């Protein structure tokens, strides 16, 4: 049986191929630019106002979606095996890139 790492490596994620019920990339990072629901941006760890009840981005593919969000694409490294791994990875990235 393949390990979790082998499964992640064997099937790379594609843009838009988000894990259902995750939303980690809409919670963990801070956003410094104004966006719908966050006129002054949002703090790290704050749930984005554009995240729906199924943890999906309501702005996905729309022009209102901030550039920083559009540049953050699902990947095996970022998403890990579950939501908690994704939150942990993104929180570490947030800390490492904090001004």
């Amino acid at each position: 049986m393949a390990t979790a790492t082998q499964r992640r490596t064997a099937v790379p994620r594609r843009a838009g191929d988000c894990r259902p019920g995750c939303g980690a990339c809409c919670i963990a990072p801070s956003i410094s630019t104004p966006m719908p629901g966050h006129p002054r941006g949002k703090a790290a760890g704050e749930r984005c106002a554009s995240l729906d009840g199924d943890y999906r981005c309501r702005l996905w593919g729309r022009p209102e979606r901030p550039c920083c969000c559009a540049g953050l694409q699902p990947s095996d490294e970022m998403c890990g095996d579950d939501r908690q791994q994704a939150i942990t990875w993104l929180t570490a990235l947030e800390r490492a890139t904090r001004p």
Side-chain angles (χ1 to χ4, degrees), residues 13-99:
R13 295 184 196 282
R14 295 165 297 167
D17 191 17
C18 292
R19 178 186 298 112
C22 183
C25 59
C26 298
I27 298 169
S30 63
I31 298 176
S32 59
T33 56
M35 59 185 278
H38 299 281
R40 296 184 187 132
K42 75 166 211 66
E46 178 183 345
R47 181 187 169 110
C48 179
S50 298
L51 195 60
D52 71 16
D54 291 327
Y55 290 91
R56 296 283 191 177
C57 177
R58 290 186 191 108
L59 300 179
W60 188 270
R62 296 180 59 188
E64 305 92 329
R65 189 170 181 224
C67 291
C68 60
C69 296
L72 190 61
Q73 297 295 314
S75 69
D76 294 336
E77 181 181 28
M78 179 178 80
C79 298
D81 290 324
D82 56 39
R83 181 173 190 247
Q84 189 54 53
Q85 284 184 0
I87 294 267
T88 299
W89 191 90
L90 286 160
T91 299
L93 179 64
E94 176 70 27
R95 286 187 189 125
T97 58
R98 193 178 323 171

